[in-house]
């Protein structure tokens, strides 16, 4: 009996100690950051209020959940958690499930968001003379959210799942959210949701109810975003906190008067979520933050972009086009084996089989010719001589038709199954689109010049 009581006391003591350390470390980090603020630069405060605080919360979460032994993570999994995975809950890093190939759509959608984010970033640099520096900062913020949150936020878990680590998604289709509650509790930034459930809503829900616990989580989220946004900028205090107060109020109103049914899939509710979440965003990414961090990035980016004339970018793009054609050959030479031409073509008559090989050979010769002629006649293409522009137009037409055939003629259900083929197909199609842009550039530049 004595041993049992002693064991219980030790377990209780360990739990108390873990709780004290788990909650105490992030609070101590905040205290140190606030105390050191006068001697830190704005960028150092940004690093401290984001990366350092995140890592401290991860340590606190690790301790709170009992460490590596309790979590049963291997050394490699532990290393990935501390270096690659942005989530704070190690118990959610690997889900207890059997390995299965990741959903290919996760990569395709993430890659599309990544490209869209890059285009928004470029647009933000070019838009400054038209909408001003302050207006362009919003384009760059949107580009960052698209590329990092929705792009890399999908590609990272996809890649880890492909390698055999069954991690949970970082985002769960936030555009399909059926309300403020659905957005913040299940779809947006799931690592942050997991943190709230571990430190706040989980322990508090049974004591004060889920609505009160969720309201407190919104307020704590506001304080954390103050550290990540207002603290680095040294101004704008209270605005990120106010943003999450607004979210808490909207959440409460929604839950009280029109909570979303479990099977809801309403466009009206999606619109409501977008208005509720995006409408007050100027409170979150306030002017002082954008002008302290985003505006300098824009100015530096514009200085680098405008350091070279447009013709220099056209010239560099043509070299990329030449190399791109030879990269396509690497995929072309794999087609007969990957698509099992030997079996399928064996069913044709000899003449038809030879015709198919001839067609394939001519296509390869065209691709080789495009790459070689781009390299040999690079100066003429860049200068915009009539014959060279004719060649550029032919290449644009060739790859445009190829993309249109892919989208509207090929049946994608006939493609081989597997993540490998989906990733390869996506990357190859994006290379085709790049070649269209590269060779359209001299046409547009010289036609406008003329």
């Amino acid at each position: 009996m004595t041993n049992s009581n002693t064991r219980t006391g030790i377990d209780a003591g360990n739990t108390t100690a873990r709780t004290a350390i788990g909650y105490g470390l992030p609070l101590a980090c905040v205290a140190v950051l606030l105390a050191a603020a006068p001697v830190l630069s704005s960028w150092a405060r940004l690093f401290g209020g984001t990366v350092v605080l995140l890592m401290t919360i991860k340590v606190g979460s690790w301790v709170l959940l009992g460490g590596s032994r309790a979590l049963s993570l291997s050394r490699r999994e532990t290393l990935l958690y501390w270096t690659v995975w942005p989530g704070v809950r190690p118990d959610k890093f690997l889900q207890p499930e059997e390995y299965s190939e990741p959903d290919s759509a996760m990569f395709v959608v993430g890659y599309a968001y990544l490209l869209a984010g890059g285009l928004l970033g470029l647009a933000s640099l070019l838009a400054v003379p038209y909408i001003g520096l302050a207006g362009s900062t919003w384009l760059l913020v949107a580009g960052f959210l698209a590329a990092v949150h929705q792009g890399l936020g999908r590609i990272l878990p996809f890649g880890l799942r492909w390698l055999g680590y069954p991690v949970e998604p970082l985002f769960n289709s936030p555009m399909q959210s059926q309300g403020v509650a659905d957005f913040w509790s299940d779809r947006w930034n799931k690592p942050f949701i997991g943190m709230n459930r571990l430190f706040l809503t989980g322990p508090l829900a049974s004591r004060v109810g889920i609505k009160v616990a969720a309201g407190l989580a919104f307020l704590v989220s506001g304080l954390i975003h103050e550290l990540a946004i207002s603290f680095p900028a040294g101004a704008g205090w209270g605005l990120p906190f106010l943003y999450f107060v607004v979210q808490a109020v909207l959440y409460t109103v929604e839950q009280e008067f029109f909570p979303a049914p479990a099977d809801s899939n309403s466009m009206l509710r999606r619109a409501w979520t977008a208005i509720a979440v995006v409408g007050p965003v100027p409170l979150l990414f306030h002017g002082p933050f954008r002008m302290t961090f985003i505006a300098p990035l824009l100015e530096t980016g514009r200085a680098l972009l405008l350091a070279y004339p447009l013709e220099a970018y056209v010239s560099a793009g043509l070299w990329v086009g030449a190399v791109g054609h030879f990269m396509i050959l690497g995929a072309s030479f794999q087609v007969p084996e990957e698509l099992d031409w030997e079996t399928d073509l064996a069913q044709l008559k000899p003449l038809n089989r030879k015709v198919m090989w001839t067609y394939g050979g001519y296509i390869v010769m065209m691709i080789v010719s495009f790459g070689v002629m781009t390299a040999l006649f690079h100066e003429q293409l860049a200068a915009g001589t009539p014959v060279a522009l004719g060649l550029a137009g032919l290449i644009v037409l060739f790859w445009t038709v190829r993309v249109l055939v892919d989208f509207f003629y090929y049946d994608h259900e006939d493609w081989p199954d597997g993540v490998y083929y989906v990733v390869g197909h996506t990357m190859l199609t994006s290379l085709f689109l790049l070649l269209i842009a590269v060779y359209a550039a001299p046409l547009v530049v010289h036609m406008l010049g003329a």
Side-chain angles (χ1 to χ4, degrees):
M1 191 68 172
T2 303
N3 290 339
S4 176
N5 289 337
T6 302
R7 178 79 280 169
T8 302
I10 292 173
D11 291 342
N14 288 340
T15 301
T16 302
R18 288 201 305 269
T19 302
I21 295 172
Y23 284 86
L25 277 174
L27 294 175
C29 176
V30 171
V32 171
L33 287 172
L34 292 176
V39 298
L40 296 175
S41 68
S42 58
W43 285 98
R45 293 196 300 271
L46 179 64
F47 182 80
T50 54
V51 178
V52 174
L53 182 59
L54 171 64
M55 295 306 295
T56 307
I57 294 174
K58 291 183 78 159
V59 173
S61 176
W62 184 271
V63 172
L64 199 61
L65 292 169
S68 57
R69 290 186 179 181
L71 296 165
S72 300
L73 296 179
S74 68
R75 290 182 179 179
R76 183 176 297 178
E77 292 162 352
T78 301
L79 180 64
L80 287 172
Y81 167 75
W82 287 110
T83 58
V84 174
W85 191 244
V88 300
R89 291 193 61 160
D91 61 328
K92 295 295 184 181
F93 174 57
L94 296 180
Q95 298 297 303
E97 63 181 48
E98 294 183 0
Y99 172 75
S100 60
E101 275 198 341
D103 183 3
S104 302
M106 186 185 298
F107 173 81
V108 175
V109 174
Y111 187 68
Y113 269 111
L114 187 64
L115 294 180
L119 291 175
L120 281 172
L122 179 61
S124 71
L125 300 178
L126 300 176
V128 172
Y130 306 101
I131 62 175
L133 189 61
S136 297
T137 60
W138 283 113
L139 285 177
L140 191 54
V141 168
F144 178 85
L145 293 175
V148 176
H149 286 64
Q150 297 302 299
L152 295 179
R154 283 178 167 87
I155 293 173
L156 175 61
F158 168 85
L160 288 173
R161 293 184 72 88
W162 198 5
L163 293 173
Y165 301 100
V167 298
E168 66 174 357
L170 295 175
F171 293 85
N172 180 23
S173 303
M175 299 293 288
Q176 299 179 18
S177 298
Q178 295 296 296
V180 176
D182 186 33
F183 182 87
W184 291 112
S185 66
D186 186 54
R187 295 188 180 275
W188 182 260
N189 200 347
K190 297 197 74 171
F192 202 88
I193 293 171
M195 179 196 71
N196 276 335
R197 287 176 179 169
L198 176 64
F199 286 92
L200 292 170
T201 55
L204 292 176
S206 60
R207 300 180 182 180
V208 298
I210 187 59
K211 291 183 180 179
V212 175
L216 291 173
F218 277 118
L219 300 183
V220 172
S221 296
L223 294 175
I224 292 175
H225 282 80
E226 289 286 351
L227 281 169
I229 297 174
S230 300
F231 172 67
W237 290 100
L239 294 178
F241 183 78
L242 180 58
Y243 172 84
F244 282 97
V245 170
V246 171
Q247 296 304 303
V249 171
L250 295 177
Y251 164 83
T252 303
V253 170
E254 178 185 276
Q255 292 300 98
E256 188 68 26
F257 296 104
F258 50 97
D263 58 348
S264 175
N265 187 22
S266 165
M267 290 298 297
L268 186 61
R269 283 190 169 276
R270 293 186 191 182
W272 149 250
T273 307
I275 294 170
V277 173
V278 179
V281 153
L283 295 172
L284 184 61
F285 299 109
H286 49 62
F289 175 80
R290 288 184 289 110
M291 298 311 292
T292 301
F293 296 102
I294 310 300
L297 292 177
L298 279 173
E299 291 172 336
T300 302
R302 278 184 59 80
L304 293 173
L305 184 67
L306 300 178
Y308 302 95
L310 182 59
E311 291 76 12
Y313 291 104
V314 172
S315 176
L318 290 169
W319 286 118
V320 171
V323 174
H325 281 99
F326 293 108
M327 290 176 63
I328 290 172
L329 291 178
S332 298
F333 291 141
Q334 298 179 49
V335 167
E337 180 179 354
E338 296 293 342
L339 299 186
D340 196 17
W341 278 18
E342 183 177 359
T343 300
D344 289 345
L345 295 183
Q347 303 175 43
L348 300 177
K349 294 178 180 180
L351 178 59
N352 288 336
R353 183 164 57 250
K354 292 176 181 178
V355 168
M356 291 302 300
W357 280 111
T358 302
Y359 286 163
Y362 264 88
I363 292 173
V364 169
M365 287 176 58
M366 288 290 289
I367 295 173
V368 171
S369 299
F370 289 159
V372 171
M373 286 192 290
T374 300
L376 291 178
F377 304 115
H378 175 269
E379 291 185 6
Q380 290 90 331
L381 282 164
T385 62
V387 174
L389 290 182
L391 173 61
L394 172 63
I395 296 174
V396 169
L397 178 63
F398 181 90
W399 291 116
T400 299
V401 171
R402 173 63 180 81
V403 171
L404 292 176
V405 166
D406 195 342
F407 281 129
F408 299 107
Y409 183 64
Y410 290 161
D411 190 342
H412 286 242
E413 293 182 358
D414 294 335
W415 283 81
D417 294 328
V419 173
Y420 170 80
Y421 293 102
V422 175
V423 173
H425 188 193
T426 302
M427 300 305 292
L428 196 59
T429 303
S430 65
L431 180 54
F432 297 158
L433 293 172
L434 176 63
L435 290 175
I436 294 171
V438 160
Y439 287 94
L443 289 170
V444 173
V445 167
H446 292 289
M447 287 181 178
L448 291 178

